Amino acid sequence: MSRYDTTFANLKARGEIAFVPFAVAGDPDLTTSIDIFKTYIDNGADILEIGYPFSDPVADGPVNQRAAQRAIAAGLTHATFFKMVRALRAVSDIPIGLLLYANSVHFLGYRTFCRRAADAGVDSLLVADMPPEESDELLAAIKSTGLKSVFIVSELTPPKRAAYICSKISGFVYVVSRLGATGAQSRLPTQAARTLQRLQRITARPFVVGFGLSEPRHIAAVKFAGAQGAIVGSALVAQIEKNLSSKKAMLKTLGTMTGHYKHATR
Amino acid sequence: MQAIKGFYGEFGGQFVPETLIPALDELEAAFNEFKNSEKHLLELDFYMNNYVGRPTPVYFAKNLSAKYGVNIYLKREDLLHTGAHKINNTIGQALLTRYMNKKRIIAETGAGQHGVATATAAALLNLACDIFMGTVDMARQRPNVFRMNLLGARVVPVASGSKTLKDAVNEALRDWSKTVRNTHYVFGSALGPHPFPTIVRQFQSIIGVETRRQILEQAGKLPDEIAACVGGGSNAIGIFDAFLNDKKVRLTGVEAGGLGLHTAKHAARLTPSPRARIGILHGSRSFVLQDSHGQIATTHSISAGLDYSGVGPQHSYLNQIKRVQYTLATDRQAIDAFSALCEYEGIIPALESSHAVAYALKRAPRMGQRQILIVNLSGRGDKDIFHVADYKGIAL
């Protein structure tokens, strides 16, 4: 059984859904970034979603883009990134998913990237700007290295296409809860629930909802709508940015927030 | 030429977030209907002839030719409404927007030329219009910001990343991914995800169609060579397209050499250098300037229109199969060519086009006296006079 299978099975048995916190690797620097992910783990994260920083992140809003810029400026590279994943894998067995951009994978070569990611302890890859049509080579590399594939389905995805996308997924279905780039919002659109109902007829893979979740009640809503997991990104990353001057306050805030979010999954 | 949907050889594709895929599918279907609809093509022709100012002349530059001992002809896209070839594409895409029943267009702009051309098309066809522009570029190009405002467009400042063209593209893509239902993104060059490179080429290919007819009328034969500057590559593909099957016509794309290839300050993507590699940027796989860790590199050129890290996928392909040769002209060479064209022909060229002129002046001595070299003069240089004065150390 993969780490994802185990995690989702255990959560289901406990009547919970997965809480999936996100941060950009290397933001604001490598050491702090490792501590941020450890804080997530220590406060109840079920899965980690790690962003690989890219200079031109078209699927991200301003908060995550600034995080990527901080990480790049602080010197994050492929080598330090995989080192960081190893450090996290050494202390935890929860699934680790990567969210990244095509050029970051393409640069190393799909096979090399996937092999190094799998060796470091990564479980899945979601390439934000690589739809399944462009992913043949990547999917082959993912499969041969034992990684899992994740793709996005949105409310605009027509049913036939949603079925096609789900057929390419070996990990979980990343359901975008609204259109546009990443970023916190205070209201969760009802489309997400409808999209989930539609998808349940298509695939048995777990659904994890992301983009725009910022409050514990959003997570409760996502659970009620039938998802198996909820991703919070920008709301956490915004706290990293807000607390750049005090690492202690940053980690404390992130820990507390993680606890509240996790609580809402129960 | 396109073996797989949206690919030129191994270049191109649709590397976009999932939320944009339905919009690209819709666009592709609409474009295929549009380009086969006589009614819509007649309307496009009407605007091209009566509003934009087509056809543009092919002009025999006799003074320059006499001096350099070769026959240099200029395709005068600089005479078009709004001052450059950009308007061919924006009118076409604005008509396509109306055909799709969308009410709003957005666009990215660097120097402001594409922004002005888009704002113009929006005013003409009663569309709402938002132009994304880096704050660094806004400061450098205040007159064009004001022009866009006069034309009724809103200029949205982009303060993220390097605050220039590539960040404006990022922001336009972000806007589009949440407004696709009522908005069309008018890509400014033969770049981006499929079908944009094809759409932009189609609307710009009128340049080559006219040129081919005109040179046959005037000189009685095809040219020996055609040169065009390459930023994203729309004016170049526009003039090359009609000659791609004429194997004896040498085609040359001229990139921005900036301060020289030995520095990091250039925008030469197809001329080999350690930073020029195949990558994925803004929706397509093509040559991209990158740093040693795969982050997109910032570029430099005296000409804002050539100052971009990526290049249209068809150019990468034409380079790979050696149908088009790509070379560069430095800032200095472009400025010298700018001055030469002003003095010898009474034409103030855009700094972008000056790169193609610079190549022509370098190339001329190696050509025979009867040979014909056509330069695509893609835009006029009124917008550049302050930069040129600045470069020459003259206060205006």
Side-chain angles (χ1 to χ4, degrees):
Chain A
M1 258 171 82
S2 74
R3 289 193 191 97
Y4 278 122
D5 292 338
T6 312
T7 298
F8 285 117
N10 289 344
L11 287 165
K12 192 178 175 188
R14 295 203 302 266
E16 299 175 15
I17 66 167
F19 173 59
V20 190
F22 167 90
V24 175
D27 172 33
D29 60 69
L30 195 64
T31 322
T32 310
S33 185
I34 292 174
D35 289 338
I36 287 168
F37 286 108
K38 284 182 177 168
T39 302
Y40 289 163
I41 295 169
D42 293 344
N43 288 276
D46 299 297
I47 297 168
L48 292 182
E49 183 83 348
I50 304 182
Y52 186 88
F54 182 50
S55 52
D56 294 80
V58 294
D60 281 295
V63 171
N64 288 349
Q65 180 171 21
R66 287 198 296 272
Q69 281 170 1
R70 286 193 296 271
I72 293 166
L76 191 98
T77 64
H78 286 96
T80 52
F81 171 73
F82 290 124
K83 213 172 101 187
M84 174 183 150
V85 175
R86 279 177 200 285
L88 294 171
R89 186 46 80 216
V91 298
S92 171
D93 207 32
I94 69 172
I96 295 177
L98 299 192
L99 174 57
L100 70 177
Y101 286 86
N103 199 58
S104 307
V105 189
H106 185 274
F107 185 81
L108 282 192
Y110 297 132
R111 288 195 70 86
T112 305
F113 187 97
C114 289
R115 188 167 29 76
R116 288 179 66 179
D119 287 350
V122 167
D123 292 282
S124 68
L125 246 60
L126 165 53
V127 183
D129 55 349
M130 200 186 283
E133 284 87 346
E134 309 292 3
S135 300
D136 286 354
E137 211 184 324
L138 177 70
L139 284 169
I142 284 177
K143 199 171 174 192
S144 72
T145 51
L147 293 169
K148 302 289 179 192
S149 59
V150 174
F151 286 101
I152 284 177
V153 175
S154 87
E155 65 182 73
L156 276 194
T157 313
K160 219 174 128 188
R161 180 169 177 79
Y164 165 70
I165 295 172
C166 290
S167 75
K168 301 286 181 182
I169 290 174
S170 55
F172 59 84
V173 185
Y174 191 125
V175 182
V176 170
S177 64
R178 61 127 185 232
L179 299 182
T182 58
Q185 60 183 9
S186 55
R187 257 185 80 246
L188 184 71
T190 49
Q191 282 101 320
R194 282 205 292 276
T195 309
L196 284 177
Q197 283 162 12
R198 206 150 55 77
L199 287 172
Q200 274 156 354
R201 282 177 239 131
I202 292 171
T203 179
R205 299 270 174 220
F207 306 124
V208 179
V209 177
F211 278 40
L213 308 190
S214 61
E215 296 172 24
R217 66 191 169 88
H218 295 152
I219 293 176
V222 161
K223 183 183 180 184
F224 183 73
Q228 282 79 31
I231 302 174
V232 174
S234 306
L236 290 163
V237 176
Q239 291 302 322
I240 296 174
E241 183 166 60
K242 208 172 148 189
N243 291 287
L244 285 174
S245 56
S246 165
K247 182 172 166 179
K248 204 176 145 195
M250 180 196 294
L251 296 179
K252 188 160 178 262
T253 307
L254 295 176
T256 308
M257 287 172 77
T258 305
H260 288 154
Y261 290 133
K262 178 56 204 171
H263 184 72
T265 71
R266 296 195 171 109
Chain B
M1 178 175 292
Q2 286 171 258
I4 310 171
K5 182 179 129 174
F7 273 87
Y8 300 92
E10 59 176 298
F11 304 105
Q14 283 186 331
F15 293 90
V16 294
E18 182 59 37
T19 44
L20 289 181
I21 294 285
L24 293 175
D25 288 347
E26 177 195 15
L27 177 61
E28 185 178 15
F31 175 64
N32 285 334
E33 288 166 24
F34 182 92
K35 72 170 194 230
N36 292 316
S37 152
E38 197 171 338
K39 182 182 139 208
H40 290 97
L41 293 181
L42 280 173
E43 190 181 14
L44 178 62
D45 277 354
F46 172 83
Y47 286 118
M48 286 298 127
N49 298 336
N50 298 288
Y51 182 79
V52 171
R54 302 214 71 91
T56 58
V58 161
Y59 173 70
F60 175 58
K62 63 178 190 326
N63 300 332
L64 218 50
S65 295
K67 171 157 170 71
Y68 285 88
V70 67
N71 299 299
I72 298 174
Y73 286 79
L74 305 172
K75 177 59 173 168
R76 299 291 310 274
E77 294 296 292
D78 60 311
L79 294 175
L80 291 176
H81 181 41
T82 71
H85 71 292
K86 294 287 186 189
I87 190 98
N88 300 327
N89 172 46
T90 61
I91 299 280
Q93 288 203 49
L95 287 169
L96 190 54
T97 305
R98 221 181 48 184
Y99 181 72
M100 290 187 289
N101 282 318
K102 293 186 173 183
K103 311 286 181 215
R104 172 176 178 256
I105 53 180
I106 57 171
E108 83 292 346
T109 197
Q113 294 306 107
H114 175 56
V116 169
T118 304
T120 300
L124 177 71
L125 295 170
N126 295 313
L127 299 164
C129 180
D130 287 336
I131 304 294
F132 294 85
M133 190 170 187
T135 48
V136 168
D137 290 332
M138 284 178 76
R140 289 192 287 207
Q141 306 287 344
R142 290 180 55 82
N144 271 342
V145 174
F146 185 58
R147 275 188 192 101
M148 288 183 264
N149 289 333
L150 286 174
L151 293 161
R154 191 168 64 112
V155 179
V156 183
V158 176
S160 58
S162 62
K163 306 176 176 59
T164 59
L165 179 59
K166 77 181 174 74
D167 309 282
V169 175
N170 294 340
E171 214 53 49
L173 282 169
R174 288 184 189 120
D175 179 290
W176 198 36
S177 71
K178 58 187 174 211
T179 58
V180 287
R181 289 190 186 95
N182 71 347
T183 297
H184 175 61
Y185 179 7
V186 181
F187 243 94
S189 193
L191 287 168
H194 174 74
F196 281 109
T198 308
I199 291 176
V200 176
R201 181 191 62 204
Q202 173 91 11
F203 289 133
Q204 293 294 359
S205 63
I206 183 76
I207 305 173
V209 169
E210 284 176 11
T211 302
R212 202 170 191 287
R213 190 184 68 229
Q214 290 163 318
I215 198 69
L216 285 172
E217 279 166 14
Q218 288 181 43
K221 62 173 184 174
L222 290 176
D224 297 281
E225 182 165 353
I226 299 174
C229 64
V230 181
S234 70
N235 90 81
I237 205 68
I239 195 165
F240 291 165
D241 190 51
F243 297 91
L244 286 177
N245 292 327
D246 301 312
K247 292 288 149 63
K248 286 190 175 155
V249 179
R250 183 177 156 111
L251 304 173
T252 303
V254 188
E255 300 187 285
L259 302 184
L261 264 196
H262 60 284
T263 71
K265 291 190 169 298
H266 64 82
R269 294 98 358 137
L270 294 170
T271 314
S273 78
R275 298 193 309 156
R277 303 165 158 253
I278 297 174
I280 296 167
L281 175 67
H282 294 152
S284 59
R285 186 173 192 270
S286 192
F287 275 86
V288 181
L289 285 173
Q290 308 174 45
D291 70 13
S292 52
H293 300 292
Q295 304 295 350
I296 306 306
T298 51
T299 51
H300 164 84
S301 169
I302 189 158
S303 138
L306 304 183
D307 197 357
Y308 179 68
S309 326
V311 66
Q314 193 175 0
H315 286 292
S316 286
Y317 177 70
L318 292 169
N319 180 49
Q320 193 178 56
I321 64 167
K322 296 185 162 45
R323 176 62 191 97
V324 178
Q325 51 137 7
Y326 294 85
T327 181
L328 54 83
T330 62
D331 287 354
R332 159 60 58 190
Q333 291 165 337
I335 289 278
D336 290 347
F338 175 96
S339 300
L341 203 62
C342 291
E343 289 163 26
Y344 284 98
E345 299 293 343
I347 296 170
I348 302 178
L351 279 174
E352 288 80 6
S353 323
S354 299
H355 286 71
V357 177
Y359 167 77
L361 302 187
K362 270 191 284 184
R363 173 77 182 145
R366 279 172 285 148
M367 291 180 78
Q369 281 196 350
R370 299 229 168 113
Q371 288 196 295
I372 294 174
L373 171 55
I374 300 178
V375 174
N376 193 17
L377 205 64
S378 55
R380 59 175 171 257
D382 307 43
K383 69 184 175 66
D384 293 319
I385 54 170
F386 294 98
H387 274 98
V388 175
D390 201 35
Y391 190 88
K392 295 183 176 211
I394 300 163
L396 292 187

